[in-house]
Amino acid sequence: DIDQLQAAIGEAQSGALESTEYAAAEEVLSQELRKGQARRQLALASASGDVSQLSAAISEAEAAELRGEELDAARRTVEEFEKQMALKVAAKASLDAAVHCRSIGQLEAALTQAIEAGISDEDLAVARNALEEERGKLAARQSLVAAISSRDIDQLQAAIGEAQSGALESTEYAAAEEVLSQELRKGQARRQLALASASGDVSQLSAAISEAEAAELRGEELDAARRTVEEFEKQMALKVAAKASLDAAVHCRSIGQLEAALTQAIEAGISDEDLAVARNALEEERGKLAARQSLVAAISSRDIDQLQA
């Protein structure tokens, strides 16, 4: 006890004892005074929350050979701090690695670990921003896949815009741009096909069909346009054949051939102007036939009036 030691040393000095006789007591007093000072420093350092100050106080307490719960508690505090610091260091390393590799799963796991380790919001900010960016990129990639699958122009344009806003590399949305280009060309070909079909101009319709085929357009609208052109070509072939038959019939002047050719030409839609020559020839040949028949009848009858007629 310090008070008891101090009193005993004072009594020894007052009793004119040799210093060698109370030297041991002075040594013990010095040790206990040092322990008391170490105990006070330990208490102050523990209360301050300053781990470096607490570590220094523990070292002094250990040098003073202090024992007891107060020293053990201080040691546990420092050990817990060092453990927490180790967790923070590991969490920060995981966070930095996750930010570097940009994996969503790794970023999420590293952020959870860092929050549990007590990493500051400032240190978390970079990883949180990286996670937000990567989630945006993932959403943009998913939108691109869906848009390419649908081949819908509005969806493709929206997905490409999202990809560009999400800072994706141009190589990641190049396929979507190619599909969009194809679909825009198909849309233009579809409109040209509709206009040409409505115009009734077969040459314009044929050109529109060629462009639609080049654009790889599919569907009933293209099939209908093809049927229109095929029907027109078939009709034109019939007209050409009918006109040839008409010309041949006019040349040979056969009534039967003229009648058959005129019937074929009318069915093929030959114009009245083109029919006129054959009709005139048929009328002439029928007149000639009637005159021949009258001559034969008159010769047979030998009647003067009939012969003169």
Side-chain angles (χ1 to χ4, degrees):
D1 176 78
I2 289 175
D3 291 336
Q4 190 176 348
L5 283 164
Q6 287 175 328
I9 291 168
E11 185 180 350
Q13 289 171 336
S14 299
L17 291 182
E18 292 293 325
S19 60
T20 54
E21 293 187 70
Y22 55 84
E26 285 181 324
E27 177 62 25
V28 171
L29 175 60
S30 174
Q31 292 170 357
E32 293 307 314
L33 286 172
R34 186 178 181 185
K35 285 180 183 179
Q37 178 64 21
R39 191 176 287 111
R40 287 190 293 276
Q41 288 176 348
L42 207 55
L44 288 170
S46 295
S48 74
D50 184 333
V51 175
S52 60
Q53 186 179 338
L54 185 58
S55 294
I58 289 170
S59 296
E60 174 56 26
E62 289 172 339
E65 297 183 356
L66 186 65
R67 301 287 184 273
E69 175 56 25
E70 55 201 334
L71 179 58
D72 293 339
R75 285 177 177 144
R76 286 195 298 272
T77 298
V78 171
E79 285 170 5
E80 183 60 30
F81 174 80
E82 289 173 346
K83 179 182 176 182
Q84 192 60 35
M85 284 302 296
L87 289 174
K88 282 188 177 182
V89 169
K92 187 67 170 63
S94 295
L95 214 55
D96 291 342
V99 169
H100 178 71
C101 80
R102 313 290 290 192
S103 160
I104 290 176
Q106 194 171 341
L107 281 163
E108 289 173 336
L111 278 165
T112 299
Q113 180 186 358
I115 291 167
E116 289 174 353
I119 299 290
S120 69
D121 284 342
E122 184 180 355
D123 287 331
L124 294 173
V126 174
R128 281 174 171 156
N129 290 339
L131 178 58
E132 185 177 351
E133 287 175 9
E134 292 308 313
R135 282 174 173 165
K137 288 180 180 180
L138 176 62
R141 291 184 185 108
Q142 291 171 335
S143 295
L144 285 170
V145 170
I148 289 170
S149 177
S150 74
R151 302 188 76 88
D152 179 79
I153 289 174
D154 292 336
Q155 194 174 343
L156 282 161
Q157 289 173 328
I160 291 168
E162 185 182 350
Q164 291 170 334
S165 300
L168 289 186
E169 294 292 327
S170 60
T171 52
E172 293 193 69
Y173 54 86
E177 287 182 320
E178 176 62 23
V179 172
L180 176 60
S181 175
Q182 292 169 1
E183 293 307 312
L184 287 171
R185 185 178 182 185
K186 285 180 184 178
Q188 178 64 20
R190 191 176 288 112
R191 288 188 291 274
Q192 288 177 349
L193 207 56
L195 289 171
S197 295
S199 74
D201 183 333
V202 175
S203 61
Q204 185 180 340
L205 186 56
S206 295
I209 288 171
S210 295
E211 172 55 24
E213 289 172 338
E216 296 184 356
L217 187 64
R218 301 287 184 272
E220 175 56 25
E221 56 204 333
L222 179 57
D223 293 339
R226 285 177 176 143
R227 286 195 297 272
T228 298
V229 171
E230 286 169 6
E231 184 59 32
F232 174 81
E233 290 172 345
K234 179 180 176 183
Q235 192 60 36
M236 285 301 296
L238 289 174
K239 282 187 177 182
V240 169
K243 187 67 171 61
S245 296
L246 214 55
D247 292 343
V250 169
H251 178 73
C252 78
R253 314 292 289 193
S254 161
I255 291 174
Q257 193 172 341
L258 282 162
E259 288 174 335
L262 279 164
T263 299
Q264 180 186 358
I266 291 166
E267 288 175 352
I270 298 293
S271 68
D272 285 343
E273 183 181 353
D274 288 330
L275 294 173
V277 174
R279 281 172 173 160
N280 290 338
L282 178 58
E283 186 178 350
E284 288 175 6
E285 292 307 315
R286 281 174 175 168
K288 289 178 181 179
L289 177 60
R292 290 187 187 101
Q293 289 171 339
S294 295
L295 285 171
V296 170
I299 290 169
S300 178
S301 70
R302 305 185 72 86
D303 179 80
I304 291 171
D305 291 335
Q306 192 175 350
L307 284 162
Q308 288 174 331

